[in-house]
Amino acid sequence: MDQKTTLTQHIKAPADSVWAVVSDIPASAATLSGVDAIQMLTDGPYAVGTRWKETRAMMGRSETVEMWVSQCEAPSNGRGGGTTVKALQGGADYTSRFSLAERDGGTDLTLTFGAELTSPTRFSKIMLTVFGPLGMRITRKALAKDLAEIAAKAESL
């Protein structure tokens, strides 16, 4: 049982600028109003294996989640690139896939977010069926805000 949503934001900036914002994890608390704090767990540039803890306020409460880069391809030579970020929290496996595609002098940034229960119980399946759509609407709204803020930052570079 899983939940998935996809959003796309057109950004009036080249893919390299969008990538610079998406891959700058230490600065994401300053870029994204939904992120309260970032604690880097690894050193070095953004790459597969980069790990951090991200604290967000979601549905009225603050939660810290450890996240890591599982796939990373920086844009180059007109190719858009993309990255996949994973997290495990509360019996769910979360995947965020950012894809960059150059279009009309700018970049389409597409975010596909998915949540899959790792060890679903009968109760968790019922809860997901009842509350999943509401949770996904709240999540989709937060993700749309993140994309708009990434766009604003990339367009200001």
Side-chain angles (χ1 to χ4, degrees), residues 1-3 88-89 91-95 114-120 128:
M1 252 187 145
D2 64 85
Q3 301 280 319
L88 293 172
Q89 180 83 358
D93 181 351
Y94 297 100
T95 303
E116 183 176 350
L117 294 176
T118 54
S119 50
L128 185 61

Side-chain angles (χ1 to χ4, degrees), residues 130-151:
V130 173
F131 294 108
L134 172 63
M136 195 51 80
R137 279 195 301 277
I138 292 167
T139 299
R140 188 173 169 85
K141 185 176 178 181
L143 295 173
K145 186 174 184 181
D146 285 356
L147 288 178
E149 292 171 347
I150 290 168

Side-chain angles (χ1 to χ4, degrees), residues 40-82:
M40 295 304 299
L41 301 176
T42 57
D43 293 324
Y46 186 90
V48 171
T50 298
R51 297 181 90 83
W52 67 96
K53 288 185 180 180
E54 180 176 292
T55 302
R56 279 183 178 257
M58 199 73 165
M59 293 186 264
R61 62 180 221 206
S62 183
E63 263 197 61
T64 300
V65 178
E66 184 172 330
M67 306 172 87
W68 67 93
V69 177
S70 68
Q71 187 275 334
C72 175
E73 182 184 350
S76 66
N77 300 327
R79 302 188 98 149

Side-chain angles (χ1 to χ4, degrees), residues 11 17-38 54 56 98 109 142 144-157:
I11 303 172
S17 295
V18 176
W19 181 257
V21 176
V22 168
S23 63
D24 189 355
I25 302 305
S28 59
T31 301
L32 304 175
S33 62
V35 175
D36 295 328
I38 295 291
E54 180 176 292
R56 279 183 178 257
F98 294 88
L109 177 60
K145 186 174 184 181
D146 285 356
L147 288 178
E149 292 171 347
I150 290 168
K153 177 74 173 185
E155 290 170 355
S156 75
L157 296 178

